[in-house]
Amino acid sequence: MAFDPVLLSRLQFAFTITFHIIFPSFTIGLSAFIAVLLARHAITGRSQDLELARFWTKIFAISFAMGVVSGVVLSYQFGTNWSRFSTVAGNIIGPLMAYEVLTAFFLEATFLGIMLFGAGRVPGWLHLTASIMVAIGTAISAFWILAANSWMQFPVGHEMREGIAFPLDWLRIIFSPTFPLRFAHMVTAAYITTAFVVVAVGARFALAGRFPDHAKTMLRMGLGLAVVLVPLQILIGDMHGLKTAEYQPAKLAAIEGHWENEEEGAGVPLILFGWPNQKTETNDYALSLPHIGSLIVTHSWAGRFPSLKDFAPADRPPVPQVFFAFRFMVGIGFAMLGFVAWGVFLWWRGDLMRNRLFLRIAANVWPVGFLAIISGWMVTEIGRQPWVVTGFLRSADAASPLTMHTVLVSLALFVLVYGVVFSAGIYFINRLINAGPTPHVVGAETGLPSRPLSGAARSLSD
């Protein structure tokens, strides 16, 4: 594999967006969780809910800051590494990004300070309202990002003039055919990811015998959310697969490792395991189930869908990466379902806080949501290749005219800086979790920290 500037630019974008996607997906769910805790406190007056809200708000502050930092880097890369993409698709992508700033970012910026530092300093209703507005803002941000990405997956509502896309119908651009289910899939994944982090922290406290009432609340709320959303996510994923088959058949064929069309009535097998061989255009060591591929993709016993050989080799995505990332994501999804079912059964039996095996496993489930999101994002983005904008702009034609050394140096710097910044962030988050929820309220006379990280750091020393 030759390290040309385009490949290095792709690696750089993949590296930075993999880090970035962790934090928005966490803060989308966490902001909603904090708003629910504050609403419960407003209704019941339980101090425990307010303490938990403050505890998670500190963690939200660090996660939100790292999400903003890593997101800014991505927008710069459009200009530095992908200038031709900006030229060709900028008339579409630019306004969509601007809409995100005008709606989501302004909403978050207006209420974030009240949410982070307003507890005990502003009326409770205002603090709750600010938290709800921030939660709505994070979801709106996801709306615009997914709208832009969905248009790149299946562009509609525009016309090409001398190789440049011009918008004709903004509603068609924003609500392109793959957008609704893609948005639902992403937001649901964000809430599930947060639910598993909350469950893990609750289990950690329960095992240590610390904050037992807070631990019980976190375990119940996390499991309660997951038991609804995990099955729903599997259903949304199935519906999203049908849309992928309709609008991105090459990606779907790569997901299934489906190289050749079957005879009429024979049905497409489901490849449980195999090694897609792009040279021989077959799956080595394949273990398959007859007809099940047809059943999943077309919802019929002998349904057919396009194979990889229906597309020119130059128009096919990299098959092994998409094939394995999809199976990893689905495997995590069903493992989540089994874990949640076990937890709910223990809850029903009244053993949720007593079963040490379950609590030990639960204390370590926090990364599974992040891993599922990253693998799902790999399926989405690698599966779109070789196109940046499907049908009219390939990745090789979208990159800036940079030298290999220029991109290599910037990639190395990103790895170094991200390593330092994110290690510090994870260190602070772990310290906050170890400190646990506290009833202490910062008084107005002690002054306000000037930055979110300052507020989180000061809370450790209180």
Side-chain angles (χ1 to χ4, degrees):
M1 181 181 294
F3 283 93
D4 60 67
V6 175
L7 178 60
L8 287 172
S9 290
R10 289 178 60 189
L11 287 174
Q12 182 171 306
F13 197 83
F15 173 78
T16 50
I17 200 168
T18 299
F19 270 91
H20 173 67
I21 199 171
I22 290 173
F23 298 103
S25 56
F26 182 43
T27 53
I28 288 170
L30 189 54
S31 57
F33 179 60
I34 292 167
V36 170
L37 285 168
L38 290 173
R40 277 166 51 110
H41 171 68
I43 295 170
T44 66
R46 291 199 325 161
S47 60
Q48 184 188 106
D49 291 329
L50 186 60
E51 291 160 9
L52 276 175
R54 278 204 293 270
F55 167 68
W56 284 105
T57 298
K58 298 168 193 169
I59 296 170
F60 173 87
I62 297 178
S63 303
F64 187 85
M66 290 197 289
V68 170
V69 168
S70 54
V72 169
V73 169
L74 292 174
S75 59
Y76 279 121
Q77 285 184 62
F78 289 146
T80 56
N81 294 54
W82 302 100
S83 60
R84 289 169 180 162
F85 164 72
S86 301
T87 300
V88 174
N91 291 333
I92 309 290
I93 301 299
L96 292 178
M97 295 296 99
Y99 296 150
E100 190 221 354
V101 172
L102 288 172
T103 56
F105 189 73
F106 279 13
L107 189 65
E108 291 165 349
T110 301
F111 290 99
L112 186 63
I114 301 173
M115 175 187 171
L116 296 184
F117 309 120
R121 298 187 175 92
V122 299
W125 67 266
L126 179 56
H127 190 220
L128 171 61
T129 302
S131 300
I132 293 172
M133 289 298 106
V134 171
I136 293 173
T138 57
I140 292 175
S141 180
F143 175 92
W144 290 113
I145 297 299
L146 268 295
N149 185 268
S150 298
W151 180 82
M152 292 164 64
Q153 301 281 339
F154 189 80
V156 291
H158 69 282
E159 69 174 6
M160 300 300 293
R161 301 177 199 162
E162 299 178 351
I164 295 176
F166 285 84
L168 290 180
D169 186 338
W170 278 109
L171 284 179
R172 290 190 67 205
I173 290 171
I174 294 169
F175 296 99
S176 60
T178 66
F179 167 74
L181 287 170
R182 190 187 303 281
F183 176 63
H185 203 43
M186 184 67 213
V187 172
T188 306
Y191 290 137
I192 291 173
T193 297
T194 301
F196 273 76
V197 173
V198 170
V199 165
V201 173
R204 187 166 156 182
F205 288 146
L207 283 171
R210 303 173 64 207
F211 313 107
D213 293 335
H214 299 79
K216 184 187 292 184
T217 298
M218 285 190 279
L219 277 166
R220 287 182 171 183
M221 289 186 70
L223 277 174
L225 182 64
V227 74
V228 174
L229 292 187
V230 171
L232 178 64
Q233 180 72 322
I234 293 173
L235 177 63
I236 295 172
D238 176 66
M239 295 167 66
H240 186 28
L242 298 180
K243 286 292 181 186
T244 304
E246 183 176 358
Y247 293 103
Q248 295 181 288
K251 178 192 288 187
L252 192 281
I255 287 172
E256 297 296 326
H258 180 43
W259 291 97
E260 283 194 69
N261 290 314
E262 308 291 328
E263 296 290 333
E264 188 72 36
V268 180
L270 171 66
I271 310 298
L272 285 177
F273 178 79
W275 191 274
N277 189 327
Q278 296 189 117
K279 289 183 179 177
T280 60
E281 299 184 336
T282 58
N283 296 313
D284 297 338
Y285 318 111
L287 175 63
S288 60
L289 297 174
H291 292 280
I292 304 302
S294 291
L295 196 60
I296 293 174
V297 175
T298 67
H299 289 189
S300 67
W301 189 246
R304 305 175 71 188
F305 54 90
S307 69
L308 286 160
K309 288 187 179 179
D310 289 327
F311 304 91
D315 292 338
R316 299 173 191 166
V319 181
Q321 293 92 324
V322 178
F323 180 86
F324 287 115
F326 179 78
R327 276 149 187 76
F328 190 64
M329 176 189 67
V330 172
I332 290 176
F334 281 99
M336 284 177 165
L337 185 64
F339 173 81
V340 168
W342 184 21
V344 171
F345 174 72
L346 293 175
W347 189 355
W348 174 69
R349 292 273 304 269
D351 293 333
L352 184 61
M353 300 295 291
R354 293 196 294 266
N355 190 304
R356 305 286 292 180
L357 176 60
F358 174 79
L359 291 176
R360 277 196 288 273
I361 294 174
N364 292 285
V365 298
W366 65 267
V368 295
F370 298 113
L371 293 174
I373 284 178
I374 291 171
S375 54
W377 198 248
M378 289 175 66
V379 174
T380 299
E381 298 307 293
I382 299 175
R384 185 186 52 199
Q385 297 299 321
W387 305 99
V388 170
V389 183
T390 304
F392 67 82
L393 183 63
R394 292 175 185 268
S395 300
D397 300 325
S400 303
L402 300 173
T403 65
M404 181 189 74
H405 292 94
T406 302
V407 186
L408 191 59
V409 168
S410 60
L411 174 58
L413 287 173
F414 275 124
V415 172
L416 178 64
V417 172
Y418 273 47
V420 173
V421 171
F422 288 98
S423 295
I426 299 300
Y427 170 75
F428 268 108
I429 288 176
N430 267 322
R431 285 196 61 187
L432 288 167
I433 291 175
N434 285 331
T438 168
H440 177 71
V441 179
V442 179
E445 69 279 3
T446 59
L448 297 173
S450 56
R451 301 181 304 278
L453 284 175
S454 301
R458 195 178 65 178
S459 69
L460 290 170
S461 60
D462 290 338

